[in-house]
Amino acid sequence: MELVISSGETIRGIRLNEDTFSIQVKDSSNEFHSFRKVDLSELRKLRGKSPMPSYEHSLAPEELTDLVACLASLREKS
């Protein structure tokens, strides 16, 4: 989610709750924000985007493959 409040500040985070009149989000620093929708300039639902950082340029292809294999093996044990 990306919210633009009336001051022009943009807040990006994960939607925790939403109803007809309000929305609550948690940003990447785990700060909780609650807004009335009428007080927002813009409300963008970022479909297909994740707040999780990419490791594409942090890990070599072999390291990424090893990491995925390790995580997959943990899932199989559950």
Side-chain angles (χ1 to χ4, degrees), residues 2 13 17 19 34 38-39 42 45 55 62 67-69 78:
E2 202 169 73
N17 190 32
D19 61 28
S34 181
V38 296
D39 296 332
E42 216 172 319
K45 297 179 180 178
Y55 290 95
E62 306 81 36
L67 176 60
V68 170
S78 299

Side-chain angles (χ1 to χ4, degrees), residues 3 6 12 16-17 20-22 28-29 33-34 44 53-54 59-61 63-65 67-69 76-78:
L3 311 170
S6 56
R12 189 172 185 178
L16 298 175
N17 190 32
T20 305
F21 305 103
S22 66
S28 60
S29 61
H33 302 271
S34 181
R44 295 184 212 122
S54 171
L59 300 173
E63 293 172 313
L64 190 55
T65 300
L67 176 60
V68 170
E76 292 168 4
K77 292 178 184 177
S78 299

